[in-house]
Amino acid sequence: MRLLTTSAGRILCAAVLCVVATAAIAGAQSGTVTGQVVHATTREPLDGVTIEVLGAALETRTRANGRYTILSVPPGVYTISARKLGLRGREVSRVIVRSDQSATVDFELDSAEALATVRVEAGRPPVDLRGVASELVLTGEELRALPVVNLAEMLMLSPGFAVLGSAGSLQSLASQRRGDPTQISVRGARPGATVQLLDGIPINHPIFGTAAIDLNPLVLSSVGLSPGYMEAQYGGSVAGVVSMTLREGEERLSGQVDYQTTNASGLMGSGADAATASHHVRAVLAGPILDDRVRVMFGAQSRRAADRAVQFPTDGSATGFIGWNGFGAVDEDQLVGKVTVSPRPALRFSATGITQSRRTLAYDRRFLALYRATALRDLNPGAPVTAVDGLVQGSVSQQSHFLSLRAEQRLARASLAVTHAILGGERETCNVFSGVCLEDRFWRSTRRSNGLFDPFVSAESPVTGTATDFGGETFTSRVTRADVVVDAADHVRFQVGLQHSSHALALREISALTGTVGLVPTATNQYRTRPTETAVYAQSTFDYDFLLATVGIRAERGSAKGTGFALPLRATNGTTAEE
């Protein structure tokens, strides 16, 4: 089977090669707590001291040299305790554990008649010697303190990251008509080259590279941003990595609800905010159920807003609009749930489910006559129907879901994690008239000299002009991965992993061809493929004081089989210029 449209076929073939190159990228999504325990008076290392991460049900004992390491600690803010019979215990609070980083907590214990525990708060150094200038890791507390409502707004505050599709930035016409959310570009690279991970699993759209899930920041425990340099566990064919970790239930039941709207600033004189008319509600609830062994987290968000706010001249002579006006609409809803079960301190199971829907009616300047007629009808509902009301703009409906199961076993000096996840989604772009999708029937209207549509009146149809695209894509991605992290020696960690990814992709789009006004002929673009990839990696990390060195190796093997051009490398492959 051949594709009918050359440009679309080449773009889609390139997109599938991108899937093979990036779909199996994943990270550890956890941190490490390490340090040494010595006697406060003699300065000798203490053996057999119990080190516990309070609230995470993780503990270990110090070795003969007084050192300890706790692997696979979920990102967050914790209290670390050190206790041994006959010595006064000590607790250090507000220890920040970040993904793929080590938090060092040293203890000094002394003998005392009164064995009350000493509690101190961890201080943050003026300069983080362990941080890399090009990398940024934010905890959940830091995320919730930022004045942002989504990941894109947070990345706009970070150097090296650009957000496409936001106000004042560029977005391709094809991306706009697909209803794509804001896209992330790192150091000028295409958005598909930036991989977004959720609990170690890629959530990029496997065809277009945009994020299939746009998460509510309230449900995240950490976000790591890594432009440029990549470890072996991430692969080397991407421009950057955005690594997100979902929250787990805390020790106590807690929640948060917030509501944000641009109407308030609109009342204070901001015309753009008044035209946008955004309403955004977010909520999260997390905590234990029955006992500390079962913890849950539920999150939700809903957003309603205009797609774009546009400012017009005050005379209104060209379009009939004056000042700031909001056009189009964006409706988004999302539900997130995570359940974590720890039957034993060293064993943990977790299940995650996310569902998201997005409906978009993008701003299209060509339909300004329709927008004007709609605005007048809102003011005068009894006004007679005109030919302009027969203009039909295409809208986009998108659905996405994410499911994952994870098992993690911690040993004395190692941890093993196995994860299986499914990411799926579908999109449909359609011209909807009177509640009915017109599917592959397109009417070309006349155009004014300024590019605006004028209705084409015909006795055969009440439709007087439409957008020129119908269809969409469906995809299902399945990822299975296993990772082993070993505390090989003091300051040295060794990590190996294996991952297999498979995808089922199908795209079918029908577009109007060049023609006269009225009903026009169409061309169909179809594409189906089932790419797979298997990757294995090994890496070793040396982490001491301000020195962090990582060396690793990664091997990948993939294939992408499906329908495409019969002879894509030949100029005379049977595809006509019109197609």
Side-chain angles (χ1 to χ4, degrees):
M1 178 178 179
R2 292 187 298 109
L3 293 181
L4 295 179
T5 301
T6 305
S7 60
R10 289 175 180 170
I11 291 173
L12 289 174
C13 289
V16 173
L17 293 178
C18 171
V19 171
V20 175
T22 64
I25 297 170
Q29 298 297 301
S30 60
T32 301
V33 178
T34 185
Q36 187 177 33
V37 183
V38 300
H39 196 280
T41 304
T42 65
R43 313 303 299 174
E44 293 183 356
L46 295 177
D47 183 19
V49 178
T50 300
I51 308 297
E52 182 179 2
V53 181
L54 302 180
L58 301 174
E59 67 176 40
T60 188
R61 293 180 181 272
T62 58
R63 300 185 285 273
N65 60 359
R67 300 204 61 83
Y68 71 92
T69 300
I70 302 178
L71 301 171
S72 301
V73 181
V77 181
Y78 297 98
T79 296
I80 313 297
S81 70
R83 291 183 175 84
K84 186 176 183 179
L85 187 63
L87 299 176
R88 178 156 42 192
R90 195 175 185 89
E91 293 181 356
V92 179
S93 62
R94 300 200 59 79
V95 176
I96 300 176
V97 178
R98 307 179 189 273
S99 295
D100 298 332
Q101 293 188 10
S102 296
T104 300
V105 183
D106 296 326
F107 292 93
E108 297 180 2
L109 305 184
D110 57 0
S111 304
E113 294 182 1
L115 298 179
T117 299
V118 178
R119 295 178 174 84
V120 298
E121 182 173 321
R124 305 187 70 173
V127 178
D128 186 3
L129 299 179
R130 293 178 176 271
V132 179
S134 61
E135 296 184 354
L136 176 64
V137 181
L138 299 175
T139 65
E141 286 189 355
E142 293 168 333
L143 283 172
R144 291 185 283 276
L146 291 174
V148 299
V149 296
N150 54 41
L151 180 64
E153 291 186 3
M154 185 200 72
L155 293 177
M156 291 177 68
L157 305 176
S158 306
F161 287 83
V163 178
L164 307 181
S166 59
S169 65
L170 297 176
Q171 185 180 25
S172 70
L173 180 60
S175 175
Q176 182 186 40
R177 291 181 179 175
R178 286 197 304 266
D180 288 342
T182 51
Q183 304 173 54
I184 299 170
S185 173
V186 178
R187 296 175 176 174
R190 59 185 176 81
T194 301
V195 173
Q196 300 189 43
L197 305 174
L198 177 61
D199 287 344
I201 302 298
I203 58 172
N204 292 71
H205 193 296
I207 297 179
F208 302 111
T210 57
I213 303 289
D214 188 11
L215 280 169
N216 170 11
L218 295 184
V219 304
L220 298 176
S221 65
S222 76
V223 174
L225 314 175
S226 302
Y229 160 74
M230 298 301 146
E231 297 179 358
Q233 61 175 323
Y234 295 117
S237 57
V238 292
V241 171
V242 178
S243 180
M244 297 169 285
T245 306
L246 281 178
R247 292 173 62 178
E248 298 181 354
E250 286 81 6
E251 291 182 274
R252 298 180 180 179
L253 188 65
S254 62
Q256 179 178 343
V257 178
D258 67 35
Y259 167 73
Q260 300 186 28
T261 179
T262 59
N263 287 355
S265 55
L267 293 175
M268 292 185 287
S270 174
D273 288 340
T276 302
S278 173
H279 302 272
H280 195 165
V281 180
R282 304 182 302 171
V284 65
L285 179 67
I289 294 181
L290 301 178
D291 60 35
D292 195 52
R293 290 177 296 179
V294 181
R295 301 184 180 186
V296 299
M297 183 277 294
F298 297 105
Q301 69 173 343
S302 180
R303 176 174 174 259
R304 304 290 184 269
D307 177 64
R308 187 178 302 182
V310 182
Q311 187 177 22
F312 293 87
T314 55
D315 57 12
S317 58
T319 62
F321 290 100
I322 298 175
W324 284 99
N325 290 265
F327 300 107
V330 177
D331 296 347
E332 297 176 337
D333 297 289
Q334 184 183 90
L335 294 175
V336 181
K338 184 174 184 178
V339 179
T340 303
V341 180
S342 301
R344 300 193 304 271
L347 180 63
R348 183 173 61 175
F349 301 96
S350 62
T352 301
I354 301 173
T355 179
Q356 174 180 288
S357 65
R358 177 182 172 90
R359 298 163 297 279
T360 307
L361 181 66
Y363 166 68
D364 190 335
R365 184 180 180 277
R366 300 174 300 174
F367 286 92
L368 277 176
L370 174 62
Y371 299 158
R372 179 63 176 166
T374 303
L376 294 176
R377 187 171 300 281
D378 291 340
L379 296 176
N380 184 14
V385 176
T386 65
V388 176
D389 295 301
L391 293 174
V392 182
Q393 181 183 355
S395 59
V396 183
S397 175
Q398 297 170 305
Q399 306 286 333
S400 302
H401 63 268
F402 176 85
L403 301 171
S404 72
L405 297 174
R406 179 182 176 90
E408 187 171 352
Q409 175 68 57
R410 297 181 180 86
L411 306 174
R413 301 188 63 174
S415 67
L416 168 65
V418 179
T419 306
H420 179 73
I422 300 175
L423 174 68
E426 60 180 330
R427 172 188 64 92
E428 182 179 76
T429 299
C430 189
N431 298 315
V432 179
F433 181 72
S434 298
V436 178
C437 176
L438 301 180
E439 297 187 355
D440 58 350
R441 297 178 65 82
F442 307 112
W443 281 265
R444 189 176 302 279
S445 61
T446 58
R447 299 282 292 271
R448 302 178 189 174
S449 59
N450 59 5
L452 305 185
F453 283 155
D454 266 340
F456 171 74
V457 180
S458 172
E460 300 177 357
S461 172
V463 178
T464 59
T466 65
T468 56
D469 297 285
F470 164 71
E473 74 279 345
T474 61
F475 70 90
T476 300
S477 300
R478 292 178 170 83
V479 180
T480 302
R481 57 168 292 132
D483 298 278
V484 178
V485 183
V486 179
D487 181 23
D490 291 343
H491 312 292
V492 179
R493 295 192 308 276
F494 181 71
Q495 182 175 338
V496 295
L498 172 68
Q499 178 167 312
H500 178 74
S501 304
S502 63
H503 311 267
L505 315 177
L507 181 144
R508 184 174 185 267
E509 289 186 336
I510 302 176
S511 302
L513 296 176
T514 303
T516 58
V517 295
L519 193 64
V520 295
T522 62
T524 301
N525 306 322
Q526 297 187 72
Y527 190 81
R528 290 186 297 273
T529 185
R530 291 180 174 272
T532 61
E533 182 190 40
T534 301
V536 59
Y537 76 91
Q539 68 180 48
S540 181
T541 301
F542 177 78
D543 187 359
Y544 180 73
D545 200 9
F546 63 89
L547 179 62
L548 176 65
T550 301
V551 59
I553 185 173
R554 181 183 180 93
E556 300 177 355
R557 179 179 176 83
S559 65
K561 299 179 180 180
T563 60
F565 289 114
L567 300 170
L569 299 181
R570 293 187 183 179
T572 56
N573 60 7
T575 302
T576 66
E578 182 183 49
E579 293 170 341

